[in-house]
């Protein structure tokens, strides 16, 4: 990546989108490695990406008895289970799901900036989907996978259905010039349900949770895909959603 500012320079404001802006990542847990490196060098970077069928869980799932055997069984059936560093809950990956990852340096503290990070990320998704005629807002959706206050949802109240989930992860890094203080790299991530098989995704997720005995059950009617928001099939829907998000990202400034 070019034009990387030197340590101590002004924080970046505009996001850099690599080419191609939507890329395939064979391992969903490694899709953002390059973004961290670029952000640590001083850039604000964005990436749209998609991955093959898998389930992604936080490392806390290792505490469940039989975890290793259940993962082995799922992998043998064509659905590997991957572990991520951030918290939250179990999420699906696979065809028809688009991920948006943003990474940027900040001098702000987590407690001061966390809400702004979520609102900025949700704003990009909301504006991008609005270009396609889909109205969304952020709220919790009880019964959805990896539920949180900053889900993106269609509808409101009891009628709300989750269309995207969000998360953020912070890492402290030293300045390159050796200063004693440290800055942080923010990684903000969204998983958008575009044109995926929600029934199949929920069947896999619920079977996994059941095998581990977690007691968690996800309700398919608490989620909705972008495709389901239209009355008829839309040609090249994934490409259209990606283009709408790219346009919005290009005009966005990092919430530094």
């Amino acid at each position: 990546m070019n034009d990387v500012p030197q340590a101590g320079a002004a924080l970046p404001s505009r996001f850099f989108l690599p080419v191609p802006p939507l890329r395939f990542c064979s391992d969903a847990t490694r899709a953002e490695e390059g973004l961290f490196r670029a952000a640590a060098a001083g850039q604000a970077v964005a990436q749209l990406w998609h991955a093959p069928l898998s389930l992604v869980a936080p490392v806390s799932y290792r505490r469940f008895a039989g975890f290793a055997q259940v993962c082995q069984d799922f992998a043998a059936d064509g659905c590997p289970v991957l572990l991520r560093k951030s918290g939250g809950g179990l999420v699906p990956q696979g065809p028809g799901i688009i991920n948006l990852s943003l990474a940027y340096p900040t001098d702000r503290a987590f407690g001061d900036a966390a809400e702004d990070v979520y609102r900025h990320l949700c704003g990009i998704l909301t504006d991008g989907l609005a270009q396609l005629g889909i109205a969304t807002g952020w709220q919790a959706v009880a019964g959805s996978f990896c539920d949180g206050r900053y889900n993106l949802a269609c509808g409101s109240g009891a009628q709300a259905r989750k269309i995207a989930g969000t998360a953020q992860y912070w890492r402290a890094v030293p300045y390159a010039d050796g200063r004693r203080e440290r800055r942080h790299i923010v990684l903000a991530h969204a998983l958008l349900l575009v044109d995926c098989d929600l029934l199949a995704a929920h069947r896999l997720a619920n079977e996994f949770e059941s095998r581990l005995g977690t007691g968690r059950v996800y309700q398919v009617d608490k989620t909705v895909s972008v495709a389901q928001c239209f009355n008829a099939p839309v040609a090249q829907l994934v490409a259209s959603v990606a283009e709408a998000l790219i346009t919005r990202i290009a005009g966005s400034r990092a919430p530094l």
Side-chain angles (χ1 to χ4, degrees), residues 104 106 108-119 168 170 186 255-256:
Y104 46 90
T106 183
R108 299 174 67 186
F110 176 81
D112 173 56
E115 297 285 317
D116 289 343
V117 170
Y118 275 127
R119 292 191 180 105
Q168 59 179 291
W170 288 49
V186 178
L256 304 171

Side-chain angles (χ1 to χ4, degrees), residues 67-138:
F67 174 77
Q69 183 60 55
V70 173
C71 290
Q72 183 176 329
D73 293 344
F74 267 68
D77 289 336
C79 181
V81 179
L82 310 174
L83 293 177
R84 67 176 187 272
K85 296 178 180 177
S86 60
L90 186 71
V91 299
Q93 289 287 351
I97 293 175
I98 288 181
N99 298 270
L100 168 60
S101 297
L102 307 175
Y104 46 90
T106 183
D107 291 327
R108 299 174 67 186
F110 176 81
D112 173 56
E115 297 285 317
D116 289 343
V117 170
Y118 275 127
R119 292 191 180 105
H120 171 260
L121 178 61
C122 287
I124 290 175
L125 295 170
T126 296
D127 291 349
L129 291 174
Q131 294 182 39
L132 302 175
I134 301 172
T136 57
W138 54 83

Side-chain angles (χ1 to χ4, degrees), residues 140-237:
V141 180
S144 65
F145 63 84
C146 199
D147 187 29
R149 286 193 302 125
Y150 285 97
N151 294 319
L152 204 67
C154 296
S156 60
Q159 303 304 314
R161 293 189 293 170
K162 177 175 181 170
I163 198 169
T166 63
Q168 59 179 291
Y169 175 71
W170 288 49
R171 181 185 297 174
V173 295
Y175 283 94
D177 60 9
R179 281 181 284 172
R180 295 183 61 184
E181 64 266 29
R182 298 165 69 87
R183 65 169 29 165
H184 288 90
I185 302 303
V186 178
L187 176 63
H189 172 253
L191 181 154
L192 179 60
L193 305 171
V194 179
D195 194 8
C196 51
D197 187 337
L198 292 177
L199 282 172
H202 281 76
R203 184 173 61 251
L204 286 169
N206 284 328
E207 181 184 350
F208 184 75
E209 298 283 12
S210 177
R211 290 278 304 276
L212 292 179
T214 67
R216 299 187 181 101
V217 178
Y218 309 117
Q219 303 171 38
V220 68
D221 62 352
K222 293 298 184 178
T223 57
V224 65
S225 68
V226 175
Q228 290 173 328
C229 294
F230 296 100
N231 294 325
V234 177
Q236 302 297 317
L237 181 58

